[in-house]
Amino acid sequence: MELTAVDVRSWLAEDVGSGDATTTAVIDEDATCQARIVVREPGVVAGLQAAAAVFEALGARLEPLAADGDRVVPGPIARVQGPARAVLTGERLALNLLCRLSGIATLTRRYADAVDGTGATILDTRKTTPGLRELEKEAVRAGGGTNHRLGLDDGVLIKDNHLRLVPSLAEAVRRARSTGLPVEVECDTVDQVGEALAAGAERLLLDNMSLDELRAAVSLAAGRSELEASGGVTLDTVRAIAETGVDFISVGALTHSARALDVSLEVL
């Protein structure tokens, strides 16, 4: 994501408001300092560019010691230097971004490792934090996952609520073809899989199906459509789901439930 000055200003406005009262009162205006950003647990780094943009907007500089996507052990991942007021004022915002995005990358890597060798690809969803979608999806990529849709305009996914408002699944697919985009249909049952295949959908989202149902869908599709398993996927179940032969597994938890990685800033 190409961060703009507007992005960073809006983040800082939320946190700093009319000014950092503590830092302005306590720290001399001409003081400078050096600091390091450290991770306190193993994980995968993401968000260094965003953190650097925060410090740059305040007049300090972040020098990365790792790259997004790197697996790291406890220790420093960046150095920060510049006016002490800038470093202290930007600390929390920069860490919030690093903790959140590195947490997403770390969880994604665990899912990607869990299905290694099966041929299945881990996908994210649109269950993201408003305003941070592009950054969170970048973090998914840093962790070894693949992005599904960035938004509603770059793919067709016909879901249950759409189907309740049109005459039939086949008619929904026919109408969706007018977009010129690939058409995906959510299927709750194996019977719906047959309908969607007959309608010519390019991808089927197999929602909350059992392992037996997933295997039946794979057999029925026989390569005619890509298959995406979704719904209630966990680290305990993802390997077995992948071994049914589906092409993709979408995991909303990557972005809506990832635990923040433990990252801190230490003034030297």
Side-chain angles (χ1 to χ4, degrees), residues 106-181:
T106 299
L107 182 60
T108 303
R109 174 49 62 192
R110 293 181 69 191
Y111 273 94
D113 287 348
V115 303
D116 186 45
T118 66
T121 298
I122 297 296
L123 301 178
D124 58 19
T125 70
R126 287 172 40 247
K127 296 175 182 177
T128 55
T129 308
L132 292 181
R133 176 169 294 172
E134 288 191 51
L135 287 174
E136 291 180 346
K137 284 182 171 279
E138 281 185 0
V140 167
R141 297 197 301 273
T146 297
N147 299 147
H148 196 288
R149 294 184 295 172
L150 286 175
L152 292 172
D153 60 346
D154 62 3
V156 171
L157 174 51
I158 301 170
K159 305 191 77 174
D160 285 349
N161 283 335
H162 297 105
L163 293 174
R164 292 188 179 103
L165 297 168
V166 292
S168 67
L169 187 155
E171 176 63 11
V173 172
R174 186 192 70 77
R175 294 179 184 182
R177 293 209 178 283
S178 67
T179 65
L181 296 167

Side-chain angles (χ1 to χ4, degrees), residues 10 13 40 56 59 61 86 105 129 158 165 167 201 211 224-225 245 247 258:
S10 67
R40 300 197 176 281
E56 182 178 347
R61 185 170 67 87
T129 308
I158 301 170
L165 297 168
L211 294 178
R224 290 180 289 165
S225 176
D247 303 290

Side-chain angles (χ1 to χ4, degrees), residues 171-193:
E171 176 63 11
V173 172
R174 186 192 70 77
R175 294 179 184 182
R177 293 209 178 283
S178 67
T179 65
L181 296 167
V183 177
E184 181 173 10
V185 177
E186 180 181 81
C187 300
D188 298 324
T189 67
V190 177
D191 286 343
Q192 272 192 320
V193 169

